[in-house]
Amino acid sequence: MKRYERFAEQIAELIRSGVLAPGEKVPSVRHASRTYGVSPSTVFQAYYLLEDRGLISARARSGYFVREHAQRPLHEPDIGPRQAHTTEVDVSELVFSVLDSIKDPLTVPFGSAFPSPHLFPLPRLARSMSQALRELSPHAVVADMTAGNPDLRRQIALRYMVSGVRLALDELVISNGALEALNLCLQTVTAPGDLVAIEAPAFYATLQVLERLKLKAVEIPMHPREGIDLDSLADSLQRLPVKACWFMSGLQNPLGASMSDDKKRALYELLQRHQVPLIEDDVYAELHYGPSPAKPVKSFDRDGLVMHCGSFSKSLAPGYRVGWVAGGRYAERIQRLKLMTTLSPSVPAQAAIADYLQHGGYDRHLRKLRYALETQQGAMLASAARHFPAETRVTRPLGGYFLWFEFPERVDSLHLFQLALAQGISLAPGPIFSATRRFQNCARLNHGYPWDAQSERAMETLGRILATF
């Protein structure tokens, strides 16, 4: 990273953390040069970069100011603390009806679960696939079907080291995407009828997995920025025979909430006292906007209680279906269960991603991807403030590509979904993220596609529809 890029990242972090508030003036070029010990030309280059990213704007004869994402900024959702709910899970029909309706490529994909495929280096991955297949030995075709491609496992272990986690290679199990890893973890530590603590709201696939395995959900309320309510979780663990927790400690889907390191440590210690395993779903870990990734709860794990699941589907190769789990004390049982079910993910896909991680410039790609997603988030926030009702609330995640909107209570998001779809716009209505069909006036919108005139028109249309409620 060049010097001006490092300085730009310092200023961006001050903006993200709220130290520099919307509308506030950033340090003058002269002041920044003296304070940070960089040349005026470095400051100018950094400010030009921040301007391109939509974080600051220049005012004639006044300097640079933090951009107002809105003249009328939208407030954070007020989910509020609620007692945990225990319930049977029955959401699949609702989820499938939503997913089936957004397959049309002409539909504006605010309801999609993936960022734009154009943000991924697919041609470079294709070259890695070709190279890997030429070098793949006949022995490896069979041997890599069990433990997984050894080069890929080493590359994943090296990336864990960056976030402060040291892993033995035999703890890593390569899977068919993160969803298989999460399924295997859950099957390893539960039986039908068991209670599993999940987030509220939770990613709808979590609810579908629990429904398929005939498990009961204990919904733990979430703070829109700070994540799981630990007091509510502690109460549930004290009162109920919870067999496992399935949480996203960073960039949670759908809220985008991220727990602090102190809170992650406290979560681990709470679970460790009760000896309740944690399935840590961390598929968005690489999509942070800041300069370095956050530590996972796995980094505090002293006795193998945490099963940490990741994937390349959201950051590099969505169609390759390559994920993994660092299984802790459960790794061998997860591996055996995998051999009894799907046996192995695609050996060529594993080899291709291993080659790309070694030679393709993954970190360079991630910097471009994060830049695009952060810029697009700013565009959606600004557009929502222009077009949505004044009472609308919205999250401001420090990574990923989702925003969670809380509309006025009179809005029925399932009805909103149908009305929007008739106008060629998809969204993900709030009830699909809850086992108890809560969040009727909420929706998740995806800003993972390049922002253009069509995106702006779609937000304006949604605003007009919301005004009819």
Side-chain angles (χ1 to χ4, degrees), residues 90 154 234 250-251 275 313 331 340 420:
D90 180 19
R154 278 192 290 271
L251 301 177
Q275 283 298 291
S313 294
M340 292 164 61

Side-chain angles (χ1 to χ4, degrees), residues 8 12 15 54 111 136 187 228 258 352 364 397 405 414 440:
I15 295 170
L136 195 63
Q187 291 175 77
I228 281 292
S258 293
R364 184 171 61 252
F405 287 88
L414 288 172
Q440 287 286 339

Side-chain angles (χ1 to χ4, degrees), residues 293-330:
K295 291 181 178 181
V297 179
K298 182 71 176 176
S299 66
F300 303 105
D301 187 11
R302 299 185 299 273
D303 58 359
L305 196 64
V306 180
M307 292 166 276
H308 184 266
C309 300
S311 169
F312 294 104
S313 294
K314 306 300 190 295
S315 61
L316 178 63
Y320 282 50
R321 304 305 303 150
V322 175
W324 70 88
V325 53
R329 67 172 77 162
Y330 307 100

Side-chain angles (χ1 to χ4, degrees), residues 172-435:
L172 281 170
V173 179
I174 306 299
S175 61
N176 288 288
L179 191 56
E180 184 191 39
L182 294 158
N183 269 273
L184 292 171
C185 292
L186 204 53
Q187 291 175 77
T188 296
V189 294
T190 65
D194 283 346
L195 300 183
V196 178
I198 64 170
E199 298 145 337
F203 180 39
Y204 51 74
T206 304
L207 304 175
Q208 291 179 296
V209 172
L210 266 61
E211 182 179 342
R212 183 180 66 82
L213 297 177
K214 296 180 170 55
L215 298 166
K216 295 180 181 179
V218 180
E219 291 193 318
I220 308 298
M222 292 278 291
H223 185 279
R225 190 171 3 95
E226 299 170 2
I228 281 292
D229 183 330
L230 290 184
D231 290 338
S232 179
L233 176 62
D235 176 68
S236 295
L237 294 177
Q238 189 68 38
R239 293 185 299 105
L240 302 169
V242 174
K243 296 297 184 182
C245 295
W246 178 345
F247 298 149
M248 301 180 76
S249 63
L251 301 177
Q252 189 259 1
N253 182 359
L255 292 180
S258 293
M259 300 172 69
S260 67
D261 286 351
D262 287 344
K263 195 168 182 179
K264 289 175 183 176
R265 184 184 291 106
L267 169 61
Y268 171 75
E269 290 172 354
L270 173 62
L271 297 179
Q272 203 272 341
R273 286 197 300 274
H274 289 271
Q275 283 298 291
V276 173
L278 171 64
I279 302 167
E280 186 175 15
D281 183 352
D282 206 12
V283 296
Y284 303 99
E286 298 281 23
L287 303 184
H288 56 89
Y289 297 159
S292 57
K295 291 181 178 181
V297 179
K298 182 71 176 176
S299 66
F300 303 105
D301 187 11
R302 299 185 299 273
D303 58 359
L305 196 64
V306 180
M307 292 166 276
H308 184 266
C309 300
S311 169
F312 294 104
S313 294
K314 306 300 190 295
S315 61
L316 178 63
Y320 282 50
R321 304 305 303 150
V322 175
W324 70 88
V325 53
R329 67 172 77 162
Y330 307 100
E332 184 177 357
R333 288 158 63 186
I334 292 169
Q335 178 67 38
R336 289 181 176 179
L337 186 59
K338 177 167 178 49
L339 292 176
M340 292 164 61
T341 52
T342 59
L343 184 62
S344 170
S346 164
V347 172
Q350 292 182 65
I353 291 180
D355 180 87
Y356 181 85
L357 294 178
Q358 289 177 286
H359 309 297
Y362 185 40
D363 286 300
R364 184 171 61 252
H365 154 67
L366 287 174
R367 285 194 294 272
K368 293 179 181 177
L369 177 60
R370 293 166 189 150
Y371 169 83
L373 296 178
E374 185 173 16
T375 300
Q376 290 158 202
Q377 184 194 84
M380 179 173 275
L381 285 168
S383 186
R386 285 191 293 272
H387 302 301
F388 288 3
E391 312 98 300
T392 301
R393 294 173 177 267
V394 64
T395 54
R396 285 176 173 78
L398 299 178
Y401 50 92
F402 295 126
L403 293 176
W404 177 260
F405 287 88
E406 181 181 281
F407 302 118
E409 289 189 7
R410 61 184 179 273
V411 174
D412 179 346
S413 63
L414 288 172
H415 190 204
L416 172 65
F417 164 75
Q418 296 292 345
L419 294 173
L421 196 63
Q423 299 295 319
I425 304 165
S426 72
L427 54 84
I432 70 172
F433 298 96
S434 170

Side-chain angles (χ1 to χ4, degrees), residues 94-137:
L94 178 59
V95 172
F96 286 134
S97 69
V98 172
L99 296 182
D100 287 346
S101 63
I102 60 177
K103 293 178 180 178
D104 186 345
L106 298 179
T107 299
V108 178
F110 290 160
S112 174
F114 291 92
S116 169
H118 297 292
L119 296 176
F120 298 116
L122 299 181
R124 180 61 183 83
L125 272 169
R127 294 203 301 274
S128 283
M129 174 72 82
S130 177
Q131 179 67 25
L133 287 176
R134 284 197 297 270
E135 297 178 356
L136 195 63
S137 70

